[in-house]
Amino acid sequence: MIWIKAIHPAARHPTRMITFADAFDLFARRVLPARLTDAVHLRFRLLASLRQLARETSLELAEGGQQIVFLARGATKLVAHASQSRDQIVGFHFPGDVFTVPEPDNYSYSVSALRDSDILTFNAADFLALAAGEACVLQYLLENTTLSLRRCREKTIALGRKNARERLAVFLLAMAERIGAEQDGGVWLDLPMSRRDISESLGLTIETVSRQLTRLRDERVIETMGRSGIVLLEPSLLRDRAGFLREAA
Amino acid sequence: MIWIKAIHPAARHPTRMITFADAFDLFARRVLPARLTDAVHLRFRLLASLRQLARETSLELAEGGQQIVFLARGATKLVAHASQSRDQIVGFHFPGDVFTVPEPDNYSYSVSALRDSDILTFNAADFLALAAGEACVLQYLLENTTLSLRRCREKTIALGRKNARERLAVFLLAMAERIGAEQDGGVWLDLPMSRRDISESLGLTIETVSRQLTRLRDERVIETMGRSGIVLLEPSLLRDRAGFLREAA
DNA sequence: CGGCATGTTGACAACCATCAATAATAGTGG
DNA sequence: CCACTATTATTGATGGTTGTCAACATGCCG
C-alpha cells in the first residue's frame, strides 16, 4: 500500500524540526530547578545555541573550548579522532542526555548525528560560571558526569579485557538498557548506528562485528531484522556471554 | 649497620604515617574554600575516614555505596574486577588526587596501594548532601570528575585504536606529565607500578609490555634503571610513537 | 524495478597472548 | 657486606584471535 510506503520511513526517523523554545524547555525541565527565577532562567537561555544536525552530519566544536551539550531529539555519537582516520567512538547519546565535549588535546572530538537531531550547546565555562550560583544545577551536572565516567570505565574494561564476542554482548545489553523495548520476554532494539559505528565504538572492525552478530544469531540469542532491527531473545544468555561478574550465588 | 638496614627502604618509600589531622588539612586546602565557616568545616571532617594502606594491600569498598576518595600520600590504582581474575586498572592516582570509586554493578572495584598510602574516604551521598550548600566544593568536584572523564576517554581511545607500541608511548607520556621530573632535556620517572600493573592498565600482557620497553630502549627513546626507573630521553620521539594527532602544521 | 551503500562471508596474515625458560632485581639472612 | 632466594622481568617459540583484503549478498531508496 502506498500509505505504508509513504508513512513508514518517516515514522521511524521523523524529520520534523523542533523550535528553540521546545528544545530549551526540554532542557530546563530536566536540568534547571523549577524554583529558578525568570531572570536566571533567561540567562541560561541566552547561553544556549540550537544546532539542527541532519543525519550523518557532524559538528566540530574546536572553537570556544569545552562544550556542554543537551540532546533534545535524535541520536548522536561522540567521536574522537586519532591519527590517520582512526576514529574511536567514546559514547552514544539519546534524547535527554547531557554530556561534555572535551576541547581538542591529543585528539579532536566531534558530535555526529546518527539520526536527524536537535541539540543545544553551551560554552562550558560560561555555563559553569552561571551555574555557580545554582547548586542544583551543579549537582545535576556532577551526577551526570559521574554517570558518564562510569560508562566510560565500563567501556575501558570491555576494550581492555574482553574479546570480540563479549564486547558485542556488552554492547547489546547496554543498548537494551537505554533504548530497548520489552517484548514478550525479549527486548526489541532499533539501532540508530551502523555496523561501522558499532565497530568504532568497540575497537573492532565491521567484519568482526558482523561475524559475531551472525554467531549470536546462529546460537538463537538474537534475531536480526534488516539493518537496524535486533531482538534479544533471551537477555540472560547475553549476560552469560558478556563476561560480567557472576551474580552472588 | 642496623640503622642503615632499617632506614634505607624507608627513604625510598617512606612508611611514616601521617595523622588524620594532617591528611584532612591537605584535603581541605585543596578542596574546601578558605572562607568556609568552622561549623561546616567540621561537618566535612566528620564525614572523613582515614585509611592507611600498606603497599600491595587493597581496600574493598563494597559496603556503603559510591565513595569519594582523597589520596593524601602514596600512590594507588583503581582496579575493576571482571570475571575470572581478569582485572582492568581504570586509573592510577597520586597525592592530591580526588576520585570516585563506583559501587559494584557489572564489575566490582577496589583501590590498591602501589606504595604505602594514606587516603581519606567519604561516603559520596553524605558528602554531596553537605556540599550542596557549598557551590565551590561542587564546582571542584565537577571539574575533577570532568578531568577523570577526559583521562578515561583517552584511555578508551588507546585501548580501542592503538597497538602495543603506541599504548606504551601514551602511558609513558601520561606518567611524565603526572609524576615526571625534568632532567636536562629528558624526563625522569620513578614508576610506582609493576609491569603487571602497566599491562593491566593498557590491556596487554606483561610480556608485551616488557618487549615494547625493550624496543624503546633499543631505539634510544628511553633508558631503564632497575625496575622502576625510566628516563624519557627525548619526549618528542615518544610523541611520534604515540599515534596522537599531528600538531597543526 | 534498479542502483548503490551497507553488510556478510571467506582466505590469509599480523599482532599479540600464551607457554616456557632464563635473567635480573630487591630484599633476607648469614 | 655479601651470598642466597623469591619475586619480578626479560626473552624466545608457537598458536589463536582479529585485522586486512577481496568477493559477494542484502536491503534501502529513488
Side-chain angles (χ1 to χ4, degrees):
Chain A
M1 275 195 289
I2 292 288
W3 187 79
I4 294 285
K5 284 186 182 175
I7 208 74
H8 189 241
R12 286 187 53 205
H13 305 297
T15 52
R16 175 182 51 86
M17 301 260 171
I18 66 178
T19 65
F20 176 84
D22 289 340
F24 190 81
D25 195 50
L26 286 168
F27 167 76
R29 228 174 288 184
R30 183 173 290 260
V31 180
L32 302 182
R35 49 151 196 72
L36 215 60
T37 67
D38 285 354
V40 176
H41 200 277
L42 181 62
R43 291 177 65 190
F44 275 109
R45 198 180 174 106
L46 288 173
L47 290 181
S49 308
L50 177 67
R51 315 286 189 106
Q52 316 226 330
L53 286 182
R55 192 165 173 282
E56 291 292 288
T57 62
S58 65
L59 188 59
E60 305 290 339
L61 294 158
E63 3 64 57
Q66 187 173 275
Q67 300 282 314
I68 292 174
V69 176
F70 171 75
L71 178 58
R73 185 183 64 94
T76 61
K77 56 181 175 180
L78 176 57
V79 187
H81 305 283
S83 57
Q84 10 173 357
S85 81
R86 291 186 298 177
D87 289 344
Q88 173 68 39
I89 294 178
V90 294
F92 293 112
H93 296 284
F94 301 100
D97 286 357
V98 174
F99 56 98
T100 64
V101 183
E103 48 189 339
D105 40 44
N106 294 324
Y107 312 102
S108 71
Y109 296 84
S110 65
V111 175
S112 297
L114 302 172
R115 291 178 176 155
D116 295 342
S117 301
D118 296 298
I119 68 180
L120 289 178
T121 63
F122 303 82
N123 176 288
D126 295 343
F127 191 94
L128 288 181
L130 183 52
E134 302 298 330
C136 280
V137 178
L138 285 179
Q139 223 163 358
Y140 180 87
L141 285 182
L142 180 56
E143 277 167 29
N144 200 271
T145 306
T146 303
L147 176 61
S148 294
L149 179 57
R150 196 169 65 84
R151 289 212 179 105
C152 191
R153 282 171 172 165
E154 298 211 353
K155 185 187 276 275
T156 296
I157 299 165
L159 298 192
R161 285 282 166 259
K162 291 183 194 290
N163 60 26
R165 180 181 172 73
E166 293 168 321
R167 291 185 206 181
L168 255 296
V170 170
F171 170 79
L172 291 174
L173 287 170
M175 284 302 122
E177 203 174 298
R178 296 181 77 178
I179 56 170
E182 298 263 345
Q183 195 184 37
D184 43 52
V187 179
W188 162 256
L189 287 178
D190 180 24
L191 295 179
M193 69 287 285
S194 67
R195 298 288 186 267
R196 172 158 302 283
D197 291 327
I198 298 173
S199 71
E200 289 184 355
S201 168
L202 298 181
L204 301 168
T205 59
I206 55 174
E207 293 93 333
T208 299
V209 169
S210 184
R211 274 185 262 265
Q212 295 302 328
L213 286 178
T214 299
R215 192 167 161 200
L216 288 173
R217 183 157 17 92
D218 292 345
E219 296 174 335
R220 313 270 166 207
V221 177
I222 64 172
E223 269 177 14
T224 57
M225 303 184 57
R227 284 175 181 168
S228 64
I230 293 189
V231 182
L232 314 190
L233 295 171
E234 188 67 59
S236 68
L237 290 178
L238 266 179
R239 284 194 64 84
D240 294 341
R241 288 161 172 74
F244 288 147
L245 277 182
R246 294 247 131 263
E247 303 295 333
Chain B
M1 273 194 292
I2 293 286
W3 189 79
I4 293 285
K5 282 185 181 176
I7 207 74
H8 185 245
R12 283 189 59 205
H13 305 297
T15 53
R16 176 179 51 85
M17 301 263 170
I18 66 179
T19 65
F20 176 84
D22 288 340
F24 189 81
D25 193 51
L26 285 168
F27 167 77
R29 229 175 287 184
R30 182 172 290 259
V31 179
L32 303 182
R35 49 151 197 73
L36 215 60
T37 67
D38 286 354
V40 176
H41 200 277
L42 181 62
R43 291 177 66 191
F44 275 110
R45 197 181 175 106
L46 289 172
L47 290 180
S49 307
L50 177 66
R51 313 286 189 107
Q52 318 227 327
L53 286 182
R55 190 164 174 283
E56 291 291 287
T57 62
S58 65
L59 188 60
E60 305 290 338
L61 294 159
E63 2 65 55
Q66 187 173 274
Q67 301 282 315
I68 292 174
V69 176
F70 171 76
L71 178 58
R73 186 183 64 94
T76 61
K77 56 181 175 181
L78 177 58
V79 187
H81 305 282
S83 58
Q84 10 171 1
S85 81
R86 291 186 298 177
D87 289 344
Q88 172 69 38
I89 294 178
V90 295
F92 292 112
H93 296 285
F94 300 101
D97 286 357
V98 175
F99 57 99
T100 65
V101 183
E103 47 190 340
D105 40 43
N106 294 324
Y107 312 101
S108 71
Y109 295 85
S110 65
V111 175
S112 298
L114 302 172
R115 292 179 175 153
D116 295 342
S117 300
D118 297 296
I119 67 180
L120 289 178
T121 64
F122 304 81
N123 177 289
D126 295 342
F127 191 93
L128 289 181
L130 184 51
E134 304 297 332
C136 279
V137 178
L138 284 179
Q139 223 164 358
Y140 180 87
L141 285 182
L142 180 56
E143 278 169 27
N144 201 271
T145 306
T146 303
L147 176 61
S148 294
L149 179 57
R150 197 170 64 84
R151 289 213 178 105
C152 191
R153 282 172 172 164
E154 299 211 351
K155 185 188 277 275
T156 296
I157 299 165
L159 298 191
R161 284 281 166 259
K162 291 181 193 290
N163 59 26
R165 181 183 172 72
E166 293 168 321
R167 291 185 207 182
L168 254 298
V170 170
F171 170 78
L172 291 174
L173 287 170
M175 284 302 122
E177 203 174 299
R178 296 181 78 179
I179 56 169
E182 298 264 344
Q183 196 185 33
D184 43 51
V187 179
W188 162 256
L189 287 178
D190 181 24
L191 295 179
M193 68 286 285
S194 67
R195 299 289 186 269
R196 172 159 300 285
D197 292 326
I198 297 173
S199 71
E200 287 184 357
S201 169
L202 299 181
L204 300 168
T205 58
I206 55 173
E207 293 93 332
T208 299
V209 169
S210 185
R211 274 185 261 267
Q212 295 302 328
L213 287 178
T214 299
R215 194 169 158 199
L216 287 173
R217 184 158 15 95
D218 291 345
E219 297 174 336
R220 313 272 165 205
V221 177
I222 64 171
E223 270 177 14
T224 58
M225 302 183 59
R227 284 174 182 168
S228 64
I230 294 189
V231 181
L232 313 190
L233 296 172
E234 188 66 58
S236 68
L237 290 178
L238 267 179
R239 283 194 64 85
D240 294 341
R241 288 161 170 76
F244 288 146
L245 277 182
R246 293 248 133 262
E247 303 294 333

